[in-house]
């Protein structure tokens, strides 16, 4: 009986020792994984001599876990007149990064678009590449990327195009003050039939801990657009941003 009690006491001590270790490991796992996100909404409604609506919405979700960084985004732009949609664009994208060290990383991106403004019904782009952090200060960051992949496009006239591409990009962020920030993201995807360039310049001012106002200017350029479409689209947007 004494032996049984000693064994039972020993087992209890082992369990009491394991439980805190398991709890500590779970806490470390939880602290290593961080979530972040933001939702943006801009809406313009005109009534009277002009009857038109414009909707600009975006959603971004990010997760960081040890050496991995993941991001998912969804964007919608729709313009309608007289209760009839005249043009719209949708974009859904996913991105993963694997950190090699403090300044270098590998990345993969997948983007799906439907953009009537640019003349294509749908476009899918896949890229794998390498990125480097050129500037890393307390209030300023600059990184550049180089990669290669493929692009498949179906145009609104029924034709399609598949091509290999090379991608280069720059991502700059400047925290001007505690309540305001500036960012510039630009990338070029070059293929044998078309070169696509996108630049997004944004200035954000915080209203409180969760809400902010954002003014952005977007330039999208296709070097060889479909007949009847311009090479360049520009968009100026004022949106309300909710961070979560």
């Amino acid at each position: 009986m004494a032996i049984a009690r000693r064994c039972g006491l020993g087992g209890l001590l082992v369990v009491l020792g394991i439980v805190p270790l398991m709890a500590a490991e779970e806490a470390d796992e939880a602290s290593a994984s961080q979530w972040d996100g933001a939702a943006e909404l801009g809406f313009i409604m005109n009534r009277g001599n002009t009857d038109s609506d414009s909707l600009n919405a975006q959603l971004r979700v990010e997760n960081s876990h040890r050496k991995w960084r993941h991001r998912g985004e969804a964007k919608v732009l729709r313009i309608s007149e007289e209760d009839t949609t005249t043009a719209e664009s949708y974009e859904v994208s996913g991105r993963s990064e694997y950190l090699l060290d403090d300044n270098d990383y590998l990345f993969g991106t997948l983007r799906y678009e439907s953009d009537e403004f640019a003349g294509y019904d749908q476009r899918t782009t896949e890229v794998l590449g390498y990125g480097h952090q050129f500037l890393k200060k307390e209030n300023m960051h600059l990184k550049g990327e180089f990669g290669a992949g493929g692009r498949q496009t179906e145009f609104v006239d029924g034709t399609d195009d598949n091509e290999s591409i090379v991608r280069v990009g720059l991502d700059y962020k400047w925290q001007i003050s505690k309540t305001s920030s500036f960012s510039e993201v630009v990338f070029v995807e070059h293929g044998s039939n078309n070169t696509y360039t996108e630049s997004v310049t944004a200035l954000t001012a915080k209203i409180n801990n969760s809400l902010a106002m954002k003014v952005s200017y977007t330039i999208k350029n296709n070097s060889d657009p479909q007949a009847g479409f311009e090479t360049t689209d520009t968009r100026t947007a004022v949106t309300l941003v909710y961070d979560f």
Side-chain angles (χ1 to χ4, degrees):
M1 183 68 68
I3 294 175
R5 282 199 297 267
R6 285 197 294 270
C7 290
L9 179 60
L12 178 61
L13 291 175
V14 171
V15 171
L16 291 176
I18 291 176
V19 169
L21 290 175
M22 293 176 63
E25 289 178 359
E26 291 178 357
D28 289 342
E29 288 291 327
S31 62
S33 181
Q34 298 180 352
W35 289 90
D36 186 22
E40 301 182 25
L41 180 63
F43 182 73
I44 299 175
M45 182 174 63
N46 297 309
R47 294 295 183 269
N49 294 320
T50 301
D51 187 0
S52 65
D53 299 322
S54 176
L55 173 67
N56 180 24
Q58 298 186 33
L59 176 65
R60 172 182 55 84
V61 179
E62 297 182 356
N63 175 258
S64 301
H65 182 73
R66 301 189 185 279
K67 289 182 174 293
W68 287 97
R69 304 288 184 268
H70 307 288
R71 183 173 73 223
E73 289 185 282
K75 303 177 183 179
V76 177
L77 176 62
R78 186 177 63 190
I79 298 176
S80 60
E81 295 182 5
E82 303 291 341
D83 294 328
T84 301
T85 300
T86 57
E88 55 190 357
S89 68
Y90 301 92
E91 179 180 325
V92 179
S93 63
R95 175 187 179 90
S96 292
E97 298 178 5
Y98 180 77
L99 304 181
L100 300 174
D101 52 42
D102 289 341
N103 295 315
D104 301 284
Y105 60 93
L106 302 176
F107 74 90
T109 65
L110 176 63
R111 188 174 75 253
Y112 172 83
E113 305 167 85
S114 176
D115 193 344
E116 295 180 356
F117 299 93
Y120 48 85
D121 185 55
Q122 59 181 4
R123 171 178 286 176
T124 305
T125 307
E126 317 89 14
V127 175
L128 295 175
Y130 162 80
H132 178 75
Q133 187 102 19
F134 292 101
L135 181 63
K136 192 174 183 179
K137 295 184 177 181
E138 184 178 354
N139 66 333
M140 195 174 296
H141 296 264
L142 173 65
K143 62 182 182 181
E145 296 180 345
F146 175 82
R151 179 171 61 205
Q152 304 83 44
T153 306
E154 294 184 11
F155 298 99
V156 293
D157 64 0
T159 60
D160 58 59
D161 180 52
N162 299 322
E163 56 185 332
S164 300
I165 62 171
V166 174
R167 173 186 167 118
V168 292
L170 289 174
D171 188 340
Y172 174 74
K173 291 182 176 63
W174 175 27
Q175 190 68 39
I176 303 172
S177 67
K178 291 182 179 180
T179 58
S180 61
S181 61
F182 173 85
S183 65
E184 171 66 32
V185 179
V186 58
F187 65 86
V188 179
E189 294 173 343
H190 174 71
S192 57
N193 299 323
N194 182 70
T195 299
Y196 176 72
T197 305
E198 181 173 319
S199 169
V200 181
T201 307
L203 181 64
T204 305
K206 280 192 173 183
I207 301 174
N208 53 40
N209 290 334
S210 299
L211 292 176
M213 290 295 297
K214 178 180 174 181
V215 180
S216 62
Y217 182 68
T218 302
I219 302 174
K220 294 185 176 183
N221 179 274
N222 283 285
S223 64
D224 188 19
Q226 290 286 283
F229 291 90
E230 300 290 336
T231 58
T232 303
D233 283 327
T234 62
R235 300 168 189 169
T236 302
V238 179
T239 55
L240 182 65
V241 183
Y242 173 72
D243 291 312
F244 57 88

